[in-house]
Amino acid sequence: MATTAQLFEEPFDADEYIERLAWRTPGGGSKGGAEAFDPKRLLEEFENHIEELKQLDEKIQRKVEKLEHHCHREAKEFAHKVQDLQRSNQVAFQHFQELDEHISYVATKVCHLGDQLEGVNTPRQRAVEAQRLMTYFNEFLDGDLRSDVFHNPDKIKEAADIIQKLHLIAQELPFDRFSDVKAKIASKYHDLERQLIQEFTTAQRRGEIGRMREVAAVLLHFKGYAHCVDVYIKQCQEAHVKEKLDSTRHSDAEQYLKNLYDLYTRTTSLATKLSEFNLGSDKHTFLSKLIKSIFSTYLESYMDMEREYLRSRGAMILQRYYDSKNHQKRAIGSGSIQELKERIRQRTNLPLGPSIDTHGETFLSPELVVNLLQETRHAFERCHRLSDPADLPRNAFSIFLLLVEHLCVDHIDYALEIGLAAIPSPDAKNANLYFLDVVQQANSIFHLFDKQFNDQLMPLISSSPKLAECLHKKKEVIEQMEVKLDTGIDRTLNCMVGQMKHILATEQKKTDFRPEDENNVMIQYTTACSKVCAYVRRQVEHVRKSMDGKNVDTVLTELGIRFHRLIHEHLQQYSYSSMGGMLAICDVAEYRRCAKDFRVPLVLQLFDTLHALCNLLVVAPDNLKQVCSGEQLTNLDRNLLHAFVQLRVDYRQARLGRHFS
């Protein structure tokens, strides 16, 4: 194996190197087994390889010495070069110091000479300037401005410099001797000031920034410089406002109102920040007048635009909803004939016209309500920011009236009218009652309406006479809705009772309470009772989902009373055998269990009493008087007790009437 320097490159492992050398030597490795191993041959190979390594070491050592010698020689040469550069640098530095001293000397001489020249020239220039000003002053004194500088528009900058200096001089002169000339100079001063401001305004409109800079530099020494700043700010604001608002004023009312609100808010915010700086003693008045001058034309017509936008936007939202339902709004009558029909419908079961089938649609939309309230909230925010404080309550009230019109009248009230018209007559069979769903959604919507009234409207009118008007209007709207809600709930309860009556009429048989085989009655309660209780439980759950607060107890109390009255009257239509009386008691017990779902003590008490009355149907004749004197029956009218006893089939045979004579 040839020995080279590459064999010893890192990482180098001596053991691996020896193993590889032995393996490559014939007879030196484990190849061929122990018989093939030749230690002499291996020793000879190691000795030869050691010699090669020594020769390689000597070769590398000579190369290292040669490189070290070359490096030392180059280091010496580099050191000599550095020394030469240092000597050259020292010489250059000395020359620089000499040149700097010479320049300082010349500069001192020049400054001295300049001071001498200035000392001579300054009085001369002052004398020339004074002579020139005296010449112009004489022209004002004579009343004849002959100099071209006062008549040439191109020399307005020079004229401004002259008149500004003359104005300062005139202020030092006695008034009694120079009153006329002072007045003429002051007049020319103000005239030039107006011309400069007009020139600045014209340059700004043309976008000539350089000219604006020149005129502003001249005006800087005039009293009207602050007015120049006002003009600049006003022009900038008017241009920006006009660009943003005029493009959408007649084409996109929504974007116009948003832009107006945004620009006015940002401008007032900027004015608040500017008021922190020293802008004079009347800075607040100045800033408010500036804002008013910019937005006055837009603020004057703001409320008309707001009302028109809300009216059209609200109508569009409503129409879009009804179109999505493929519904054509019905004309709701409001005359005396309609009121008469409504009263007759409430008090009788006469069909005064076909009821509307809404297919379960309430025509109330939470999404529509959110959109209307969102638009109104934005309108209240704009009204608060853009209205004059004196007009704010009146404007807020007008927005509130539009909300009442769209939300309460055109949507909620319309849905209630449709819901009332959709309530079937009490004698309708298998009637679907959706009015309670209308009640539930109407209550939810009105809670949102009431929240916006308190959160958005009240802060705007709380300290004005409009508060009483708003509260009165809100009360009026609530009362109108409550009347229709109460009417609808009452008619819905009548329908529920009518449905129960229909179930009892179709399912209850006379033989239920006078079975042919008294000894073979296997049922716990009648089919009619089972179906009525199932129906009542569904309606009770429906009422609980549709109402909230005390309204649940109020409606369930009324439903429970009507439910009890129906069962009471229904039981009085039959005659009862002994086993039939027991079955009637079982029915009433089931009705009483159903009444517990009402969670109304009065309803449960009524059915407890009815259960006690039914006991009169099965009690032994000898114990009848004792039972009638019991705790639950002792306070009832004896005619009522007698009426129940008369329902027994053995009434005449057992001469039960004698107990009530």
Side-chain angles (χ1 to χ4, degrees), residues 137-339:
F137 185 82
N138 286 334
E139 291 183 13
F140 279 99
L141 191 62
D142 297 338
D144 183 16
L145 299 179
R146 298 178 297 276
S147 300
D148 180 60
V149 71
F150 294 117
H151 304 288
N152 190 346
D154 296 332
K155 296 183 178 181
I156 189 172
K157 182 177 180 181
E158 184 181 352
D161 180 62
I162 293 170
I163 201 67
Q164 196 268 338
K165 292 176 180 178
L166 288 177
H167 186 260
L168 292 175
I169 293 171
Q171 290 179 350
E172 303 296 330
L173 299 176
F175 181 79
D176 53 350
R177 294 177 57 190
F178 298 97
S179 59
D180 291 341
V181 70
K182 291 179 70 172
K184 292 175 183 178
I185 292 174
S187 176
K188 190 64 177 177
Y189 178 89
H190 294 303
D191 184 49
L192 276 173
E193 189 177 57
R194 282 193 299 272
Q195 291 182 34
L196 288 167
I197 292 174
Q198 184 61 39
E199 180 71 18
F200 181 86
T201 304
T202 304
Q204 184 179 2
R205 288 174 180 169
R206 293 176 180 173
E208 299 174 354
I209 305 299
R211 183 58 179 164
M212 291 169 59
R213 188 182 294 111
E214 292 177 6
V215 177
V218 176
L219 274 170
L220 182 61
H221 304 290
F222 281 77
K223 294 180 179 179
Y225 179 71
H227 187 58
C228 173
V229 177
D230 299 347
V231 169
Y232 175 73
I233 296 174
K234 183 178 178 182
Q235 287 284 337
C236 290
Q237 288 284 0
E238 285 182 348
H240 182 63
V241 169
K242 190 173 182 180
E243 177 187 357
K244 284 284 188 180
L245 298 181
D246 288 359
S247 60
T248 58
R249 189 168 190 175
H250 302 292
S251 60
D252 189 346
E254 180 180 9
Q255 192 60 45
Y256 168 77
L257 291 170
K258 287 181 179 178
N259 289 344
L260 178 59
Y261 174 76
D262 180 59
L263 288 172
Y264 190 82
T265 301
R266 287 161 56 191
T267 304
T268 52
S269 176
L270 176 61
T272 303
K273 294 178 180 178
L274 289 175
S275 63
E276 298 175 0
F277 299 96
N278 185 16
L279 301 178
S281 57
D282 59 343
K283 55 186 177 182
H284 295 288
T285 305
F286 157 67
L287 291 171
S288 61
K289 286 182 178 179
L290 183 60
I291 294 174
K292 188 175 181 180
S293 66
I294 295 172
F295 289 95
S296 58
T297 55
Y298 302 102
L299 295 180
E300 288 172 0
S301 60
Y302 154 69
M303 201 57 216
D304 293 334
M305 291 283 292
E306 186 72 80
R307 279 193 291 264
E308 185 62 29
Y309 167 71
L310 283 179
R311 189 174 287 108
S312 61
R313 180 68 174 171
M316 186 271 289
I317 292 173
L318 287 166
Q319 190 59 46
R320 186 171 60 191
Y321 167 70
Y322 293 121
D323 288 345
S324 70
K325 298 295 182 181
N326 294 321
H327 175 74
Q328 182 67 36
K329 287 194 73 174
R330 296 161 50 91
I332 304 299
S334 59
S336 57
I337 296 178
Q338 181 70 20
E339 293 176 0

Side-chain angles (χ1 to χ4, degrees), residues 261-439:
Y261 174 76
D262 180 59
L263 288 172
Y264 190 82
T265 301
R266 287 161 56 191
T267 304
T268 52
S269 176
L270 176 61
T272 303
K273 294 178 180 178
L274 289 175
S275 63
E276 298 175 0
F277 299 96
N278 185 16
L279 301 178
S281 57
D282 59 343
K283 55 186 177 182
H284 295 288
T285 305
F286 157 67
L287 291 171
S288 61
K289 286 182 178 179
L290 183 60
I291 294 174
K292 188 175 181 180
S293 66
I294 295 172
F295 289 95
S296 58
T297 55
Y298 302 102
L299 295 180
E300 288 172 0
S301 60
Y302 154 69
M303 201 57 216
D304 293 334
M305 291 283 292
E306 186 72 80
R307 279 193 291 264
E308 185 62 29
Y309 167 71
L310 283 179
R311 189 174 287 108
S312 61
R313 180 68 174 171
M316 186 271 289
I317 292 173
L318 287 166
Q319 190 59 46
R320 186 171 60 191
Y321 167 70
Y322 293 121
D323 288 345
S324 70
K325 298 295 182 181
N326 294 321
H327 175 74
Q328 182 67 36
K329 287 194 73 174
R330 296 161 50 91
I332 304 299
S334 59
S336 57
I337 296 178
Q338 181 70 20
E339 293 176 0
L340 179 61
K341 286 183 177 181
E342 186 60 34
R343 290 181 181 178
I344 294 174
R345 184 191 287 273
Q346 292 177 25
R347 298 177 184 275
T348 68
N349 293 332
L350 294 177
L352 300 179
S355 62
I356 302 173
D357 188 1
T358 62
H359 303 287
E361 179 60 58
T362 63
F363 291 104
L364 289 172
S365 168
E367 181 181 355
L368 178 147
V369 173
V370 169
N371 288 337
L372 286 177
L373 293 177
Q374 185 80 349
E375 292 291 345
T376 309
R377 182 175 69 83
H378 292 323
F380 280 133
E381 291 174 353
R382 290 192 292 265
C383 176
H384 187 202
R385 177 68 67 177
L386 301 176
S387 295
D388 187 270
D391 299 331
L392 177 59
R394 183 175 69 252
N395 293 344
F397 181 63
S398 64
I399 293 174
F400 171 68
L401 291 180
L402 287 172
L403 176 63
V404 170
E405 176 185 346
H406 290 138
L407 180 61
C408 299
V409 177
D410 292 343
H411 191 56
I412 302 178
D413 189 71
Y414 177 76
L416 292 178
E417 289 286 354
I418 294 295
L420 286 171
I423 298 175
S425 61
D427 55 354
K429 299 178 181 179
N430 299 319
N432 292 319
L433 304 177
Y434 298 114
F435 191 79
L436 290 180
D437 297 330
V438 177
V439 173

Side-chain angles (χ1 to χ4, degrees), residues 107 203 209 223 267 307 347 351 474 574 606 614 628 631 645 661:
I209 305 299
K223 294 180 179 179
T267 304
R307 279 193 291 264
R347 298 177 184 275
K474 179 185 173 185
Y574 301 92
L606 290 174
C614 288
C628 289
E631 180 181 354
V645 173
S661 59

Side-chain angles (χ1 to χ4, degrees), residues 568-580:
H568 186 277
E569 293 173 355
H570 173 72
L571 292 174
Q572 290 183 317
Q573 297 176 10
Y574 301 92
S575 57
Y576 300 87
S577 64
S578 176
M579 185 55 66

